[in-house]
Protein backbone atom coordinates (compact mmCIF):
# COMPACT_ATOMS: atom_id res chain seq x y z
CA UNK A 1 0.00 0.00 0.00
CA UNK A 2 1.98 2.99 -1.30
CA UNK A 3 -0.58 5.69 -0.36
CA UNK A 4 -0.17 8.80 -2.52
CA UNK A 5 2.66 8.80 -5.06
CA UNK A 6 3.82 11.89 -6.95
CA UNK A 7 6.07 12.02 -9.98
CA UNK A 8 8.48 13.58 -10.68
CA UNK A 9 10.13 14.61 -7.39
CA UNK A 10 12.06 17.50 -8.93
CA UNK A 11 11.77 19.47 -12.14
CA UNK A 12 13.33 22.59 -13.62
CA UNK A 13 11.47 24.40 -16.40
CA UNK A 14 12.18 27.46 -18.47
CA UNK A 15 9.58 30.19 -18.70
CA UNK A 16 6.94 29.25 -21.25
CA UNK A 17 7.54 25.49 -21.13
CA UNK A 18 4.77 23.08 -20.22
CA UNK A 19 4.68 20.04 -18.00
CA UNK A 20 2.36 17.63 -16.24
CA UNK A 21 2.63 16.42 -12.65
CA UNK A 22 1.20 12.99 -11.94
CA UNK A 23 -0.48 11.88 -8.73
CA UNK A 24 -1.60 8.33 -8.04
CA UNK A 25 -3.36 6.93 -4.98
CA UNK A 26 -4.12 3.31 -4.13
CA UNK A 27 -6.54 3.88 -1.25
CA UNK A 28 -9.69 4.06 -3.40
CA UNK A 29 -10.32 7.63 -2.21
CA UNK A 30 -13.03 9.64 -3.88
CA UNK A 31 -11.48 13.06 -3.37
CA UNK A 32 -8.16 14.30 -4.69
CA UNK A 33 -6.45 17.69 -4.39
CA UNK A 34 -3.49 19.68 -5.66
CA UNK A 35 -1.83 22.19 -3.32
CA UNK A 36 1.14 24.47 -3.64
CA UNK A 37 3.38 25.27 -0.70
CA UNK A 38 5.34 28.52 -0.57
CA UNK A 39 7.48 29.83 2.29
CA UNK A 40 5.43 31.70 4.87
CA UNK A 41 2.14 30.93 3.11
CA UNK A 42 1.21 27.45 4.18
CA UNK A 43 -0.64 25.23 1.73
CA UNK A 44 -3.00 26.71 -0.85
CA UNK A 45 -5.51 24.67 -2.83
CA UNK A 46 -5.10 24.87 -6.61
CA UNK A 47 -7.75 22.45 -7.92
CA UNK A 48 -9.61 19.49 -6.57
CA UNK A 49 -11.78 16.59 -7.70
CA UNK A 50 -14.69 14.95 -5.94
CA UNK A 51 -14.74 11.94 -8.24
CA UNK A 52 -13.65 10.45 -11.54
CA UNK A 53 -14.34 12.82 -14.40
CA UNK A 54 -14.95 15.88 -12.19
CA UNK A 55 -12.69 18.81 -11.35
CA UNK A 56 -13.18 22.17 -9.64
CA UNK A 57 -11.17 25.32 -8.90
CA UNK A 58 -9.59 25.95 -5.55
CA UNK A 59 -8.11 29.08 -4.03
CA UNK A 60 -5.32 29.69 -6.59
CA UNK A 61 -6.29 27.99 -9.90
CA UNK A 62 -4.91 30.48 -12.46
CA UNK A 63 -2.22 29.08 -14.75
CA UNK A 64 -3.04 25.44 -13.97
CA UNK A 65 -5.30 22.78 -15.41
CA UNK A 66 -6.21 19.36 -14.07
CA UNK A 67 -7.76 16.12 -15.21
CA UNK A 68 -9.17 13.07 -13.40
CA UNK A 69 -9.75 10.45 -16.07
CA UNK A 70 -9.30 7.57 -13.63
CA UNK A 71 -10.30 7.46 -9.98
CA UNK A 72 -6.78 6.72 -8.83
CA UNK A 73 -5.00 9.42 -10.85
CA UNK A 74 -5.07 13.22 -10.74
CA UNK A 75 -2.93 15.21 -13.17
CA UNK A 76 -1.80 18.82 -12.77
CA UNK A 77 -0.74 20.67 -15.90
CA UNK A 78 1.13 23.89 -16.46
CA UNK A 79 0.62 25.05 -20.05
CA UNK A 80 3.07 27.97 -19.99
CA UNK A 81 5.22 28.00 -16.88
CA UNK A 82 6.05 31.30 -15.15
CA UNK A 83 8.63 32.04 -12.42
CA UNK A 84 5.71 32.72 -10.03
CA UNK A 85 4.88 29.01 -10.29
CA UNK A 86 8.16 28.04 -8.64
CA UNK A 87 6.93 26.13 -5.62
CA UNK A 88 6.56 22.74 -3.98
CA UNK A 89 3.44 20.97 -5.19
CA UNK A 90 1.58 18.44 -3.07
CA UNK A 91 -1.13 16.05 -4.09
CA UNK A 92 -3.54 14.74 -1.47
CA UNK A 93 -6.52 12.42 -1.32
CA UNK A 94 -9.32 11.78 1.15
CA UNK A 95 -12.28 9.46 1.51
CA UNK A 96 -15.93 10.45 1.58
CA UNK A 97 -16.78 11.14 5.22
CA UNK A 98 -20.43 10.43 5.92
CA UNK A 99 -22.34 13.54 6.89
CA UNK A 100 -19.46 15.45 8.46
CA UNK A 101 -17.78 16.14 5.12
CA UNK A 102 -14.27 16.41 6.55
CA UNK A 103 -11.84 13.51 6.52
CA UNK A 104 -8.05 13.43 6.91
CA UNK A 105 -5.96 14.46 3.93
CA UNK A 106 -3.33 11.94 2.83
CA UNK A 107 -0.44 13.75 1.17
CA UNK A 108 2.24 12.65 -1.25
CA UNK A 109 5.86 13.69 -0.70
CA UNK A 110 5.75 16.60 -3.09
CA UNK A 111 7.28 17.82 -6.34
CA UNK A 112 9.77 20.68 -6.20
CA UNK A 113 9.36 22.79 -9.34
CA UNK A 114 11.69 25.60 -10.33
CA UNK A 115 10.83 27.89 -13.24
CA UNK A 116 13.71 30.00 -14.53
CA UNK B 1 -13.20 33.70 2.98
CA UNK B 2 -11.56 32.03 5.95
CA UNK B 3 -8.21 33.36 7.15
CA UNK B 4 -5.99 31.38 9.52
CA UNK B 5 -3.08 32.93 11.39
CA UNK B 6 -0.48 30.82 13.16
CA UNK B 7 2.07 31.77 15.82
CA UNK B 8 4.93 31.51 16.40
CA UNK B 9 6.63 30.92 13.06
CA UNK B 10 9.58 29.26 14.81
CA UNK B 11 9.79 27.62 18.21
CA UNK B 12 12.79 26.08 19.94
CA UNK B 13 12.48 24.03 23.14
CA UNK B 14 14.62 21.73 25.22
CA UNK B 15 13.87 18.04 25.15
CA UNK B 16 11.30 17.24 27.80
CA UNK B 17 9.75 20.70 27.80
CA UNK B 18 6.29 21.50 26.48
CA UNK B 19 5.54 23.28 23.20
CA UNK B 20 2.44 25.31 22.37
CA UNK B 21 1.43 26.56 18.93
CA UNK B 22 -1.55 28.88 18.54
CA UNK B 23 -3.88 29.59 15.63
CA UNK B 24 -6.71 32.04 15.13
CA UNK B 25 -9.40 31.90 12.47
CA UNK B 26 -11.72 34.53 11.08
CA UNK B 27 -14.94 32.74 10.08
CA UNK B 28 -17.15 31.79 13.03
CA UNK B 29 -18.79 29.12 10.83
CA UNK B 30 -15.59 27.04 10.84
CA UNK B 31 -16.17 23.73 12.60
CA UNK B 32 -13.24 21.43 11.81
CA UNK B 33 -9.67 22.10 12.93
CA UNK B 34 -6.91 19.63 11.99
CA UNK B 35 -3.19 19.79 12.77
CA UNK B 36 -0.60 18.43 10.35
CA UNK B 37 3.07 17.62 10.95
CA UNK B 38 5.54 17.89 8.07
CA UNK B 39 8.97 16.32 8.31
CA UNK B 40 11.78 17.39 6.01
CA UNK B 41 11.25 16.19 2.45
CA UNK B 42 7.87 14.65 3.23
CA UNK B 43 4.26 15.62 2.83
CA UNK B 44 2.16 16.80 5.79
CA UNK B 45 0.60 14.12 7.98
CA UNK B 46 -2.44 14.52 10.20
CA UNK B 47 -1.56 14.23 13.89
CA UNK B 48 -4.79 15.32 15.57
CA UNK B 49 -8.03 17.08 14.75
CA UNK B 50 -10.94 18.58 16.64
CA UNK B 51 -14.49 19.44 15.74
CA UNK B 52 -16.40 22.40 17.07
CA UNK B 53 -18.63 20.39 19.37
CA UNK B 54 -15.73 19.63 21.75
CA UNK B 55 -13.32 21.92 23.58
CA UNK B 56 -10.33 19.62 24.00
CA UNK B 57 -8.94 16.41 22.57
CA UNK B 58 -5.89 14.40 23.67
CA UNK B 59 -3.81 11.70 22.08
CA UNK B 60 -0.90 10.61 24.28
CA UNK B 61 1.53 13.58 24.39
CA UNK B 62 -0.49 15.71 21.99
CA UNK B 63 -3.57 17.77 22.80
CA UNK B 64 -5.62 20.37 21.00
CA UNK B 65 -7.85 22.96 22.63
CA UNK B 66 -10.53 25.04 20.96
CA UNK B 67 -12.08 28.32 22.08
CA UNK B 68 -14.95 29.04 19.70
CA UNK B 69 -15.86 32.32 21.36
CA UNK B 70 -12.38 33.73 20.85
CA UNK B 71 -11.94 31.87 17.54
CA UNK B 72 -8.62 30.31 18.42
CA UNK B 73 -7.24 26.83 18.86
CA UNK B 74 -3.91 25.53 20.10
CA UNK B 75 -1.66 22.50 19.81
CA UNK B 76 0.07 21.32 22.97
CA UNK B 77 2.95 18.85 22.90
CA UNK B 78 4.21 17.64 26.27
CA UNK B 79 7.50 15.88 27.08
CA UNK B 80 8.93 16.88 23.71
CA UNK B 81 11.42 14.59 21.98
CA UNK B 82 13.91 15.29 19.16
CA UNK B 83 11.65 13.39 16.74
CA UNK B 84 8.96 16.01 17.35
CA UNK B 85 11.14 18.46 15.39
CA UNK B 86 9.18 19.34 12.24
CA UNK B 87 6.94 22.00 10.72
CA UNK B 88 3.41 22.03 12.11
CA UNK B 89 0.39 23.42 10.25
CA UNK B 90 -3.01 24.24 11.63
CA UNK B 91 -6.08 24.49 9.41
CA UNK B 92 -9.73 25.44 9.61
CA UNK B 93 -12.67 24.32 7.53
CA UNK B 94 -16.30 25.35 7.39
CA UNK B 95 -17.88 22.55 5.42
CA UNK B 96 -15.39 20.25 3.75
CA UNK B 97 -11.75 19.88 2.70
CA UNK B 98 -12.41 22.04 -0.36
CA UNK B 99 -12.77 25.18 1.75
CA UNK B 100 -10.01 24.36 4.22
CA UNK B 101 -7.43 27.09 4.87
CA UNK B 102 -4.01 26.45 6.36
CA UNK B 103 -1.85 28.53 8.66
CA UNK B 104 1.64 29.53 7.52
CA UNK B 105 3.32 26.88 9.68
CA UNK B 106 5.52 26.68 12.78
CA UNK B 107 9.01 25.21 12.64
CA UNK B 108 9.53 23.38 15.94
CA UNK B 109 13.06 22.42 16.99
CA UNK B 110 13.57 20.18 20.01
CA UNK B 111 17.13 20.36 21.32
CA UNK B 112 18.49 17.21 22.93
Amino acid sequence: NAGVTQTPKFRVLKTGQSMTLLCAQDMNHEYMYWYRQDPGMGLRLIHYSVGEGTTAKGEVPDGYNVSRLKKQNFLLGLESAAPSQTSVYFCASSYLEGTTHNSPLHFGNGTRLTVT
Amino acid sequence: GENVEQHPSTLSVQEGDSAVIKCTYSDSASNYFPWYKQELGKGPQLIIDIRSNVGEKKDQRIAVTLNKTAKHFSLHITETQPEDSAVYFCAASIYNNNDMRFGAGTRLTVKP
Side-chain angles (χ1 to χ4, degrees), chain A residues 33 35 37 40-43 45 48 50 59 90 94 97 100-105 107-109, chain B residues 31-32 36 38 41-46 49 51 89 93 95-98 100-104:
Chain A
Y33 314 81
Y35 289 89
Q37 183 177 44
M41 300 188 74
L43 291 145
L45 182 63
Y48 64 95
V50 300
E59 186 183 358
F90 286 97
S94 67
E97 172 80 17
T100 61
H101 305 288
N102 285 110
S103 60
L105 292 165
F107 285 90
N109 286 332
Chain B
N31 58 26
Y32 176 65
Y36 285 84
Q38 185 178 23
K42 300 270 184 79
Q45 185 173 16
L46 179 75
D49 58 9
R51 300 187 188 273
F89 292 96
S93 169
Y95 186 70
N96 54 36
N97 289 337
N98 309 334
M100 187 177 295
R101 294 293 182 265
F102 285 83

Side-chain angles (χ1 to χ4, degrees), chain A residues 42-61:
Chain A
L43 291 145
R44 292 181 292 168
L45 182 63
I46 304 171
H47 286 281
Y48 64 95
S49 168
V50 300
E52 181 179 321
T54 72
T55 63
K57 294 180 180 180
E59 186 183 358
V60 289

Side-chain angles (χ1 to χ4, degrees), chain B residues 14-76:
Chain B
Q14 287 294 136
E15 183 177 358
D17 287 350
S18 295
V20 180
I21 302 170
K22 298 181 179 180
C23 288
T24 61
Y25 60 98
S26 60
D27 197 322
S28 57
S30 291
N31 58 26
Y32 176 65
F33 308 91
W35 286 88
Y36 285 84
K37 175 183 180 182
Q38 185 178 23
E39 297 177 343
L40 192 61
K42 300 270 184 79
Q45 185 173 16
L46 179 75
I47 54 171
I48 196 166
D49 58 9
I50 192 168
R51 300 187 188 273
S52 59
N53 56 348
V54 297
E56 184 176 4
K57 184 176 178 181
K58 286 185 179 179
D59 183 2
Q60 299 182 1
R61 296 184 298 108
I62 293 173
V64 57
T65 58
L66 171 65
N67 184 326
K68 287 209 71 181
T69 303
K71 289 190 284 187
H72 68 71
F73 56 112
S74 300
L75 178 71
H76 304 254

Side-chain angles (χ1 to χ4, degrees), chain A residues 38-86:
Chain A
D38 301 293
M41 300 188 74
L43 291 145
R44 292 181 292 168
L45 182 63
I46 304 171
H47 286 281
Y48 64 95
S49 168
V50 300
E52 181 179 321
T54 72
T55 63
K57 294 180 180 180
E59 186 183 358
V60 289
D62 294 343
Y64 305 95
N65 57 76
V66 288
S67 64
R68 182 109 181 260
L69 299 180
K70 293 183 179 180
K71 185 177 182 179
Q72 64 269 33
N73 296 336
F74 196 28
L75 306 180
L76 177 71
L78 286 73
E79 290 186 349
S80 181
S84 61
Q85 294 178 304
T86 293

